[in-house]
Every structure is written in C-alpha cells, then in structure tokens.
Amino acid sequence: MLRNPILPGFNPDPSILRVGDDYYIATSTFEWFPGVQIHHSKDLANWTLVTRPLTRKSQLDMRGEPDSCGVWAPCLSHDGEQFFLIFTDMKRKDGSFKDAHNYLVTAPSIKGPWSDPVYMNSSGFDPSLFHDDDGRKWFVNMLWDHRSRPLSFAGIALQEYDHAQKKLIGPVKNIFQGTDLKLVEGPHLFKRAGADGRPWYYLMTAEGGTGYDHAVTFARARQIDGPYETHPIKHILTSKDAPLNAVQRAGHGDLVETPDGNTYLVHLMGRPTTQKRRCVLGRETGIQEAYWGADDWLWVKNGPEPSVEVEVPGTRDDTEYWAEQRYSFDGDLPADFQWLRTPEPERIFRLEEGKLKLTGRESIGSWFEQALVARRQTHFSYDAEVTVEFDPVDERQFAGLTGYYSRYNFHYLAVTAHADGKRELLLMSSEASHPNGRLSFPADPVPLPQEGPVRLKIEIRGAKLQFFYAAGSARAMGNWQPMGPVLDASLLSDECGGHPQHGSFTGAFVGVACSDLNGTAREAAFSDFVYRPVHDATDRY
C-alpha cells in the first residue's frame, strides 16, 4: 500500500497522462520559474522530475505578476504523435477581474524541444485539451464573469481547436454551470463506451474552491456539448465532510488508465498538521483507486472520502525521499531549485567555481527582479544549511538563508552591514497579517567578523523554526550559535499567504537570496548547501 501524497510538497493541480508504459504528471508552478513541473513514473508509485518545459522568454515572462499568479493548472495530453501542454499565465487574480491568458505548447518528446506558445483565449482559467477519436480537438476552460451575474465562476466553456490553423474555431458554448457547491473550475473531458456500446462524454471538474470544501465533481452527456447530467452523488471525491481525514482539500482531479485496464484518479490535496489547520507543504498531489460501475458512472474506491493509503501497481522506494541532499553548484543549477518570475536568470545568478553566485537586485519579495533561488520544503521537519560569502558596504545590501512563502510571508537570516559599514547578522521576519506587510526584527543584530565566510542554518520541526549561525573559528569547528527566538514556521503556508481565503496557492521553500537596494549589483557567493530531512511523527509519507 502506498501512503498519499505521491508528489509531496508544492505540486498542485495535477494533470496525468499515460503514453505506452510511461506515466506523466504536470503540475502548476505559479510564479516560480521555469514553468510547469512534469514528473515521470513507470508504476504510479515512484516519481521523478523530468522537465520544466517553459524555459525561455518567448514562452513565459512573469515579471510584475503578483504572488500566486503565473502558471495555473497545466493540462498535458498526447494525440498519438506529439505532446500538448495547455496552461494559463495569470497576470492578475485578486479583485473582480482576472487577466488569464491561455496558451498551448507542443513537443515531439516529453523533454522537448517545446515550441513557442500558441495563444488560445483569455475568457477564464484552467484550460484543458481533449483529443476525440474522430480527430477533432476540443478546448475547455472555466469562464470568469467579473459581474458575478449570477456567478463569478460562470461555467465551463467548450470550443473546437484547429491545430492546422493553430487557433480556436467555431462557436463557444457554456456546457456546465456546476452544482450547488459552486466555484466550478478545473475541467477535463473523457470519452468511454457505455454498457450498451454507445459512447459517453464525461466531464470532470473541481468545485468548492481550493480550500477545505474542495471536491471533484463528475458529469456526463451523449454529445460533447451536452446536456450534461451530474453524477448521482455529485462529488466523487471530497474531504469536506471528513475534517479528521489526513488527506484534506481533495479536489481538482484527472484520470488515467493502466495498461491492464485499472483506473486511477490523481488529485490536489493538503496535509494540515497544526491546530490552526495550516498546510506548510502547500497543495500536493494524491492518488485514488477508481472503477467504472455497471451504471456507466465512475466511482472512487471507498469514496467519496479520500483514502490515505492506496494500492497502486508499484512499491514506493522512500530511500531518496529521506536521503540528505548535498548540492553541488558545478555545471547546471540542481533540478530541485527554481527562482522567481524572470526568464533572464543570468541577471540574478550564475554558477562558477563550485559556487552559486547571486547578483543583488531588488528586495526579497519583489514581483519584478529579485535574486532568490530555492527548493521546495517537502518534509514537515528538516535542516538546511549553507555557507555565504558576502561583503556588504551598508544596510541596503544583504544576503542569506530564507524560509520563504511569498512577498509578505518569510523568515530571513542575512549577512548585512550597519550604516557604518560594519558587518552584522540580521534576522528579519514578515507575515501578511502585519500592518502593511512591514518587517519585524525578532532579535538584535549580531556583530560579525569584517570578512570571511559565514555558515547559516535553519531548523524546522513542525511549526517551530530556529535559525543558527557559525562564523570565524566557530564555523571551522561547527560550533552553531542560535540566532533569535523560535519562530512560527506555519506562517509559511497557504492559509497565511496574504490573500483572501483560499487565495494563496504555492508552498514553503528554503533557499538563498541576495539584495542590493543601492542598485550596484553586489554579489554574494553560496556553497555547500545541504537539505537534511528529519523524521517526524507527523511525517508518515
């Protein structure tokens, strides 16, 4: 038995695909660059990151996009000849309007090369492409109504896509307005012969928002454009009525069939671990067994409540998940790491002499150009440490180690200088609930030697976060000194991300950052980055 999730940490909105014996899952990356994560598996149990397809400016440029905008809900498909990847680039999401631009890229192989994007539409988000067996292709997305007349989530739009012309053609039809749970989104179309041999078109959607009322809704029709009837229980997967289930926020699903005919549903999920119900690891990907009934409806095994443990074809090997990761900065940036928004990474970092050298740009949390390189937090408890070499001239230059969620939600231990030029260690903390997102300084600055490397460490044990440092002779001896009080690690969560309820969509990261608010692009060099998982009673992956 496999215990959910199958993709731990920030890996939401899964779209699954099987090509031959190979399974692929594409997940949202939002403001993190490169865009879209695609994992590969042979057995549905063991998954490896194989590519992030949106790698260049002609495909994606998110500079200026707010937190939790960027790449939403990709859909990965294959028409027998090539891979199709549909995604939204969300430019604005808060308020009455949503500027959601939908695109298509294609590739002959999962590793590329991926094409420049084809523009599809901007009428809503969560686009998906369905390849019918008659050769026609159909595009669906949720419709956004800024008037809320009667609903902002206005339904699911269907339109034909002509790949030869590389554009949508024909009329647009709203084929499904959802159920009384509302907030219909995340559509995927499927086709399957019924017991009588006649085909059914099936429409899977997400409803209830991406919080604790999230659900997978199922409907069917004899014609692709409807009318669609809703499943007898409406929501074939949800944990909204099971608050004690370890798998929460279950929704936004997709289907895959194994070569021997078994059906599985992958879905978004979260694992709140504190009394405050905060999901520090963000929205993850889970899996459920499903089956087709004699009534031609899909049912989740033991559903609609999600199962924590699921039988899949393979047996998971957790060795790599629990292994200490020591990252080398020779050659390319290690695959675990991403940066924020910019398609021009050469302006914010380079790898040289075995070190990651960050070029100081704007402040941490900038929506435009900040030098922050980080990896996902994938464990409830872990240690991370790094050596930083940095010679700041004043207080507007700082570089160090951060636990980061978003612009107003981070904890940051940085090497900086006072106005007199003397180096010091500064602990900064930010939470969205603080008035105007202002920084707090949980501890007095600590004087540092005027030159030489400094070793920084972050320890997270569930909701508790503690920074440490070692400088001078203490660094050589591994003599760690605590910096500041124990901080609240649960602030680095969806529930504290600074948006209205259920409006923050990423997850906690740990990484390195460098800012030069003087505009002189001062560099910091980082080396010997270690991420060390720590077994915790709550971390039963």
Side-chain angles (χ1 to χ4, degrees), residues 457-474:
K457 181 167 74 167
I458 184 173
E459 286 187 358
I460 286 185
R461 301 293 183 270
K464 296 180 179 180
L465 182 155
Q466 177 70 64
F467 280 108
F468 297 85
Y469 72 98
S473 60

Side-chain angles (χ1 to χ4, degrees), residues 327-494:
Y327 294 103
S328 168
F329 294 124
D330 293 310
D332 295 329
L333 186 70
D336 287 344
F337 288 84
Q338 287 183 272
W339 60 94
L340 286 163
R341 296 181 177 86
T342 179
E344 297 179 338
E346 66 276 7
R347 286 187 48 82
I348 60 172
F349 71 84
R350 70 183 192 279
L351 279 71
E352 184 178 275
E353 300 171 342
K355 298 177 182 179
L356 175 61
K357 296 187 176 181
L358 299 191
T359 303
R361 297 296 182 188
E362 296 174 337
S363 58
I364 184 170
S366 167
W367 290 345
F368 292 87
E369 191 174 55
Q370 61 161 309
L372 189 156
V373 177
R375 58 150 289 164
R376 285 159 176 75
Q377 178 181 340
T378 50
H379 302 76
F380 292 109
S381 297
Y382 73 91
D383 300 338
E385 54 188 81
V386 71
T387 297
V388 56
E389 299 170 67
F390 189 52
D391 298 312
V393 300
D394 62 24
E395 68 273 25
R396 282 170 292 278
Q397 297 172 339
F398 42 92
L401 180 65
T402 180
Y404 184 90
Y405 183 91
S406 64
R407 183 181 204 175
Y408 293 138
N409 280 73
F410 59 84
H411 300 299
Y412 187 14
L413 182 59
V415 175
T416 185
H418 190 42
D420 58 9
K422 292 183 178 179
R423 280 207 316 173
E424 63 182 27
L425 199 60
L426 185 66
L427 179 57
M428 296 175 276
S429 187
S430 176
E431 59 177 286
S433 60
H434 195 285
N436 299 316
R438 292 184 64 85
L439 284 175
S440 62
F441 302 93
D444 292 334
V446 172
L448 290 173
Q450 199 58 22
E451 58 184 32
V454 181
R455 190 76 176 160
L456 305 177
K457 181 167 74 167
I458 184 173
E459 286 187 358
I460 286 185
R461 301 293 183 270
K464 296 180 179 180
L465 182 155
Q466 177 70 64
F467 280 108
F468 297 85
Y469 72 98
S473 60
R475 184 183 69 87
M477 298 170 61
N479 185 13
W480 292 106
Q481 299 295 319
M483 178 63 183
V486 173
L487 301 174
D488 185 359
S490 75
L491 291 176
L492 310 178
S493 64
D494 295 345

